[in-house]
Amino acid sequence: MKSTTDLNMVNAYIPGRAEVGPVTAAMIERRDALLGPAYRLMYEHPLHIVRGEGVWLIDPEGRRYLDIYNNVASLGHCHPAVTEAICNQVKVLATNTRYLHDTILELAERLLATVPETDLAHLMLTCTGSEANDLAYRIAQVRTGGTGVIVTDTAYHGFTDAVSKFSPSLGVTVDLGAHVRLVPAPRLYHAEGADLSERFTRDVEAAIADLRRHGIKPAALIVDSLFTSDGILPEPAGFLKGAAEAIKRAGGLFIADEVQPGFGRTGEHMWGFQRHGVIPDIVTLGKPMGNGQPIAGLLATADALAEFGKNSRYFNTFAGNTVSCAAALAVLDTIEKEGLVQHAARVGKLLRDGISELASRHEAIGDVRGVGMFVGVELVSDRATRAPDRELTTRVVNRMRDKGVLLSACAMGHNVLKIRPPLVLSAEQAGMVIEVLDEALTGR
């Protein structure tokens, strides 16, 4: 039986829908018995992966799959600089933040140096982006005395109890908090010529007013700066500024969630919020920081953090350990040495331009958008009405998987192909993505 949560996954494995073979079926049965019913698998025919190498994931038979979905491996799977840093550090020292060590201090200095135009002054480390957003919300509550949170209508900010309450993309089975207000995501493709900056600012101001009307003091506006789960919505640059100013006027904090857009993925700056000319009070970071090693965290202004730091002790046993910090430093070194921000801009443009060219012969492609190594392809059943085509999106995702290219989908209509490859994707590999997408849309 299809569960309610499976309805919210455009590419979920649905038991009984497709023949998976006896070996895979036995592994799925064993997994279900051991891990329980809450986990989900991707694709009609789930993958068994035994090795990762750069942009590739490899199955037991040696078949290689081009991974253009997993942004956590920001430098590609098993990048030698990161694995070497981890191995070298774990042989010397693996301990926590209650002892002095240089690696965490160097990491803080390096990360804060990427935001010189802001008042961001401190780094706090966690293990995951969910933890980072949870911690950011705690800080916002202490700083403002409020609890109200404003997010976009298909946002995802994490899975902790607090953060899941303002992650509407988790679906109707996960209740939103009474202190949460949703605003429409800034969908330029569906804006009918409206001024998105003015509209988004107005919507945030209305949400602030509604919170206050119900006796709820605003604590924060938190947005993924590329609105990833909302459908990858980067344009027009600068539209976030009015909304960020509105929440600050209301006494709340502006939190830029950089878990998915961060670490050079935009091909313009290190962080997605920088393309909007906004000044966050808190910036949250995710596991791309360590290329998959469990390290994440936040950057905060001294003002945002002062009262929380005075009255709350923060300790997270694994977060900020020497091994994770070494991995994160290796990521920063590699982004700089290999020029990966510029590379993301160049190859990302090739990818977008190539997919845009496909739109001339595939009516289902309604919109192609993105920035750097982040591309959204909106599939529609009718270009005139721009109606979402979820069924086609599911078929395309699974056809591409069968042809050796892994991606997924997002947005309220579950109809935007979500392409976020490792930053090291080559021009040749981008060409492979375009070719396979063409074949998947054709039905070949």
Side-chain angles (χ1 to χ4, degrees):
M1 177 184 294
K2 184 187 294 187
S3 75
T4 305
T5 52
D6 289 337
L7 294 172
N8 208 42
M9 287 183 64
V10 72
N11 65 334
Y13 163 67
I14 309 296
R17 173 175 288 182
E19 175 57 47
V20 297
V23 174
T24 299
M27 187 171 233
I28 292 171
E29 183 179 1
R30 181 184 175 204
R31 170 188 162 106
D32 289 346
L34 292 169
L35 304 185
Y39 284 91
R40 296 294 182 271
L41 288 163
M42 291 173 60
Y43 308 116
E44 287 183 353
H45 297 92
L47 287 165
H48 178 192
I49 298 299
V50 297
R51 189 161 63 91
E53 179 184 287
V55 296
W56 303 99
L57 290 173
I58 303 163
D59 73 10
E61 286 71 46
R63 184 180 180 187
R64 299 162 74 86
Y65 294 84
L66 186 65
D67 183 2
I68 59 168
Y69 179 61
N70 187 355
N71 71 307
V72 171
S74 52
L75 308 183
H77 299 280
C78 304
H79 192 285
V82 180
T83 56
E84 182 179 3
I86 291 170
C87 290
N88 288 342
Q89 183 61 53
V90 81
K91 288 186 290 187
V92 177
L93 177 68
T95 192
N96 62 58
T97 57
R98 283 183 169 167
Y99 299 101
L100 293 169
H101 60 83
D102 290 327
T103 49
I104 191 172
L105 304 180
E106 182 181 352
L107 178 60
E109 289 169 344
R110 294 277 297 276
L111 286 170
L112 290 166
T114 67
V115 287
E117 73 279 15
T118 72
D119 294 324
L120 295 164
H122 302 302
L123 168 71
M124 296 183 74
L125 291 176
T126 64
C127 299
T128 69
S130 294
E131 285 185 358
N133 283 329
D134 190 289
L135 179 59
Y137 179 52
R138 287 180 61 199
I139 292 168
Q141 290 179 88
V142 172
R143 171 62 182 82
T144 66
T147 59
V149 184
I150 302 168
V151 296
T152 50
D153 51 12
T154 323
Y156 175 72
H157 295 293
F159 63 81
T160 69
D161 180 62
V163 176
S164 65
K165 288 184 171 68
F166 52 87
S167 292
S169 68
L170 291 173
V172 296
T173 59
V174 180
D175 293 338
L176 295 176
H179 60 293
V180 175
R181 295 296 181 272
L182 305 185
V183 295
R187 300 177 177 93
L188 183 62
Y189 179 57
H190 299 275
E192 305 296 341
D195 182 330
L196 275 188
S197 178
E198 188 276 334
R199 177 185 284 183
F200 194 61
T201 301
R202 186 182 67 234
D203 289 340
V204 169
E205 288 173 338
I208 291 168
D210 191 63
L211 284 169
R212 285 174 165 164
R213 183 178 180 184
H214 289 84
I216 302 170
K217 189 174 182 180
L221 165 68
I222 177 170
V223 298
D224 170 328
S225 60
L226 281 185
F227 298 87
T228 305
S229 294
D230 293 294
I232 306 172
L233 309 170
E235 303 294 348
F239 73 78
L240 263 177
K241 194 168 186 179
E245 291 170 350
I247 191 66
K248 292 187 180 191
R249 284 196 303 271
L253 302 188
F254 173 60
I255 302 172
D257 181 341
E258 295 288 334
V259 172
Q260 296 188 72
F263 290 93
R265 181 159 291 278
T266 66
E268 299 170 333
H269 309 281
M270 194 66 162
W271 313 110
F273 74 83
Q274 290 172 307
R275 69 192 316 270
H276 288 288
V278 294
I279 307 296
D281 298 287
I282 299 175
V283 176
T284 56
L285 318 174
K287 290 186 294 297
M289 185 193 302
N291 204 47
Q293 177 77 2
I295 181 169
L298 60 82
L299 304 176
T301 66
D303 176 72
L305 199 53
E307 189 173 352
F308 180 86
K310 179 181 178 182
N311 298 312
S312 305
R313 289 182 299 171
Y314 176 72
F315 179 63
N316 185 325
T317 305
F318 192 78
N321 76 85
T322 46
V323 176
S324 293
C325 288
L329 285 169
V331 168
L332 293 176
D333 287 341
T334 303
I335 289 173
E336 182 178 338
K337 289 177 182 177
E338 298 186 6
L340 291 182
V341 177
Q342 298 79 8
H343 178 82
R346 184 173 64 254
V347 177
K349 185 177 187 304
L350 291 174
L351 193 55
R352 290 193 306 281
D353 288 350
I355 296 173
S356 294
E357 194 278 328
L358 294 182
S360 65
R361 57 181 186 274
H362 292 290
E363 285 290 318
I365 297 179
D367 192 33
V368 181
R369 52 184 179 259
V371 60
M373 210 69 84
F374 222 143
V375 182
V377 184
E378 185 153 353
L379 300 183
V380 297
S381 57
D382 185 321
R383 280 190 179 176
T385 64
R386 303 181 182 182
D389 197 333
R390 174 176 175 150
E391 290 72 22
L392 175 62
T393 305
T394 297
R395 291 197 300 272
V396 167
V397 167
N398 282 288
R399 284 172 185 165
M400 293 186 73
R401 171 257 181 258
D402 293 342
K403 293 175 179 292
V405 176
L406 307 180
L407 78 169
S408 189
C410 59
M412 184 174 287
H414 307 278
N415 66 312
V416 176
L417 298 177
K418 186 177 184 180
I419 301 172
R420 49 176 191 182
L423 299 178
V424 295
L425 186 82
S426 70
E428 180 182 2
Q429 290 157 349
M432 177 182 172
V433 175
I434 295 162
E435 180 181 352
V436 171
L437 176 57
D438 186 18
E439 293 173 357
L441 286 166
T442 305
R444 288 184 276 145

